[in-house]
Amino acid sequence: MPATSTSSAKAPRTPQAGLVPLRRSAIRFMAIGVSLVMAALVGAPGAAAFWKSVGLGAGSAATASLAAPTGVTAPSVNAGAVPVSWTASAGPIVPTGYYVTRITGSTTASACGSSPASLLDGASCTDNAVPVGTHTYVVTAVYKSWTAVSQASGNVTVVLPGSNRLAFSRGPSNAVAAVTISPAVTVTVQTSLGVAVANASVALSLGNNPGSGKLSGTVAVQTDGSGVATFPDLSIEKAGTGYTLTASSPGLTPISSGSFNITPAAATTLQITTAPVSGAASATANLGPITVQRVDANGNLVTAGSLAVGLSSSTAGAGVFSATNGGPAVTTVTIPNGSSAASFHYGDTKAGTPTVAASSTGLTAASQAATITAGAATKLVVTSAPVAGAASASATLGPVTVQRQDAFGNPTTAGATTLLLASSSATTTFAATSAGAAVSQVTIAAGSAVTSFYYGDTKAGSPTITVNNATLGAVTQTETVVAGAASQVTFDTGPTPTVSMNQPFNPVIRVLIADMFGNPTSTGTVTISTSISTCKLGGTTTQQAVLGVATFTGLQPQGNASNCRLVATSGTSTATSNPFSDNHN
């Protein structure tokens, strides 16, 4: 509190005219009065000051105050060595130093090794060997013979060093994962004398952590007026048996709670926990086991109650499930009560990466991609459509593609396979490339599932080609060979040596047209004329060939039919008949 004044005095001088000199006693009285007035204004004990003057003359005096320290603080709970700090005195008067006193009830004692005769220079100190009990601290600023005293600090409760004054007044109880522990956990803070400590900081953390969980909620609070810290919203998201909490507070020994358990919440999700399966195509479920488990929203395994789990696959083939390796086909498995998981096996006839799914009503489904590879090759298949084309002496029809497959039709690529080529036609030619050199076999190379070749035949018809391997067997396909462009004309039925004029030829004239290999052409026209101008023809002389035959019904000789010949023309090809004459010649 401000309580000090300072003074200055000037040397005596001759009184000025018109002034009444003051007596020294009057000056001293005035100085004392100023000091008392200043002290009364700041609420501090009075402090006296006086000035001495010799002779007559005028004097002057200046006053100032010594400010008290402020903000004296110390921890609310301690174990014997109490740190005390304060804010230094403000104002023009800088204290010579400070001393600290400790007040316990009605008893006051020097603290921090300080006293009015042993001042402290700084604005903090440590009060060692403080007795057990509740105390406050006061700091006094000193300047020469003046002092200013601070307000008292808050209560400081000192306990025996090492004594445990934290207690779980209500420990944690069993709870469901991620659900608030109820009733709320409470911790009491007391001094070694059993006195409740208000406004003490208490923090909770996990001690034993069997589920590797996280303690959520308000984990640090202050005690109330009864020394009780209440934690209203604690929760742990991971299930486990034998959790404990640890309570701690500055200056006090941490304590552990009794053990408690966190159980899983209701199941929300299915999970496949095993690695993706892979293997050869099969009609039985021999891949696995695949394990599916149920968990709650925080990933805790759920074991309560039995649960039916449906099984499905995205395969384009035939997917099959079983409860055991190669066992009877099933569409569901059951997670039994007391367990969190069930297992099954999978098989598929179609090579690829089908998605296997496990689902149950109300739960998020689980899925996983399986890898199905082709099995060993067991057969050959011609995968290209039957070829068709004109008769040829070279292999130009195709390509004809042959694939090796497993028992389920999946292409296989392992190893090399030699294929022998044959045909039901004796005039067939095979080649590895279009119009290439003739071959009698081709090979499916290792790493590939197919090979191709070309086919040719000089005889029109529907020959059957055969592709054969000693291990994989044979496969056949019927091809279509048609006649090429007409290049041959012949009389199938020509005129007889003698004919009746103006009467149709008998038998009817028939002309054949064929390709270069003698295959009757399916289309084309034939025109009949005579070899000499005196021979005339009546009736239709041009006919469309049908299946390589042009039939001239109603064609008749006219004019001078002596040593006549018929000439058949189709395109650039011609044929001449035997001579004929009128039967009257």
Side-chain angles (χ1 to χ4, degrees), residues 126-513:
T126 299
D127 190 18
N128 294 306
V130 180
V132 171
T134 300
H135 317 277
T136 59
Y137 285 87
V138 171
V139 179
T140 301
V142 178
Y143 176 76
K144 296 185 179 181
S145 60
W146 290 276
T147 61
V149 182
S150 73
Q151 297 290 331
S153 71
N155 287 340
V156 178
T157 300
V158 175
V159 299
L160 291 174
S163 64
N164 190 347
R165 289 304 176 187
L166 288 170
F168 278 94
S169 45
R170 183 164 58 225
S173 57
N174 296 337
V176 174
V179 175
T180 299
I181 296 173
S182 181
V185 174
T186 59
V187 177
T188 300
V189 180
Q190 293 181 334
T191 69
S192 59
L193 302 178
V195 177
V197 178
N199 299 319
S201 296
V202 180
L204 291 182
S205 60
L206 286 174
N208 293 336
N209 190 357
S212 298
K214 176 184 177 182
L215 182 63
S216 298
T218 306
V219 296
V221 299
Q222 287 187 310
T223 55
D224 58 18
S226 300
V228 177
T230 301
F231 299 84
D233 56 357
L234 299 178
S235 66
I236 300 173
E237 89 286 11
K238 293 296 184 182
T241 300
Y243 276 100
T244 62
L245 297 180
T246 298
S248 60
S249 184
L252 302 181
T253 301
I255 60 169
S256 293
S257 72
S259 64
F260 62 101
N261 304 327
I262 299 296
T263 56
T268 60
T269 305
L270 294 174
Q271 297 175 337
I272 294 178
T273 60
T274 46
V277 296
S278 62
S282 173
T284 59
N286 53 18
L287 302 181
I290 301 170
T291 300
V292 59
Q293 69 180 15
R294 52 183 170 178
V295 297
D296 67 11
N298 290 288
N300 298 301
L301 301 181
V302 178
T303 60
S306 63
L307 181 69
V309 178
L311 307 175
S312 61
S313 170
S314 66
T315 182
V320 60
F321 298 92
S322 67
T324 58
N325 188 358
V330 299
T331 57
T332 61
V333 291
T334 299
I335 300 175
N337 183 35
S339 175
S340 64
S343 296
F344 58 91
H345 290 72
Y346 178 66
D348 202 324
T349 60
K350 181 71 173 178
T353 54
T355 298
V356 175
S359 61
S360 186
T361 302
L363 302 185
T364 301
S367 63
Q368 187 179 76
T371 300
I372 307 299
T373 57
T378 62
K379 60 183 177 180
L380 297 173
V381 176
V382 178
T383 58
S384 55
V387 296
S392 173
S394 61
T396 57
L397 302 181
V400 180
T401 301
V402 180
Q403 184 180 76
R404 52 183 171 181
Q405 298 178 351
D406 66 10
F408 307 105
N410 299 300
T412 63
T413 60
T417 300
T418 299
L419 307 178
L420 302 179
L421 307 177
S423 172
S424 63
S425 172
T427 55
T428 293
T429 300
F430 296 99
T433 59
S434 180
V439 298
S440 61
Q441 64 183 36
V442 290
T443 299
I444 300 176
S448 175
V450 299
T451 191
S452 297
F453 59 88
Y454 289 80
Y455 173 71
D457 203 321
T458 60
K459 185 172 180 60
S462 301
T464 298
I465 62 172
T466 301
V467 182
N468 184 56
N469 175 267
T471 302
L472 304 182
V475 61
T476 62
Q477 187 179 70
T478 299
E479 319 297 2
T480 300
V481 180
V482 297
S487 61
Q488 298 182 41
V489 178
T490 59
F491 279 94
D492 181 47
T493 303
T496 59
T498 60
V499 299
S500 298
M501 297 302 291
N502 299 316
Q503 297 294 319
F505 286 100
N506 186 23
V508 175
I509 302 300
R510 290 163 53 91
V511 179
L512 303 180
I513 57 174

